[in-house]
Amino acid sequence: MRPQPPTELFEDFSGCAFAAAPELEAWARDTFIDPDSDMFNPDHAHLIPASIGMLWTTVENSRKGRTVIGQAEMGQPAGMMGKWGEGESRGAGTRMVRLGP
């Protein structure tokens, strides 16, 4: 089952929030990147050794009237990324949510 965003992400909401999503990365690897997975795509084989980080966010993202639910980006300087990168680099009004102890 696909992981869901933590409820803490939506508590005390003021601005945009981001939280690390290691469980989402594990699910994506098991579902799409593992060569033994039913949904493995050989075009994604280059991701097997890749260092991948994922975030949950409350920042809305859409293009051409369609909601974007996920995207992959190479680490780039702020200003070069899409709406999630812009939201993360805004600073003021942005909060990182720490999950767990």
Side-chain angles (χ1 to χ4, degrees), residues 31-77:
T31 305
F32 304 109
I33 302 172
D34 181 348
D36 295 328
S37 169
D38 290 339
M39 297 184 76
F40 175 71
N41 180 336
D43 290 343
H44 299 152
H46 67 283
L47 297 173
I48 293 169
S51 175
I52 301 173
M54 295 188 180
L55 295 172
W56 294 111
T57 184
T58 58
V59 176
E60 291 185 32
N61 193 352
S62 62
R63 275 188 212 114
K64 299 180 182 178
R66 293 186 168 182
T67 300
V68 177
I69 60 169
Q71 71 185 44
E73 295 180 345
M74 297 293 290
Q76 296 178 5

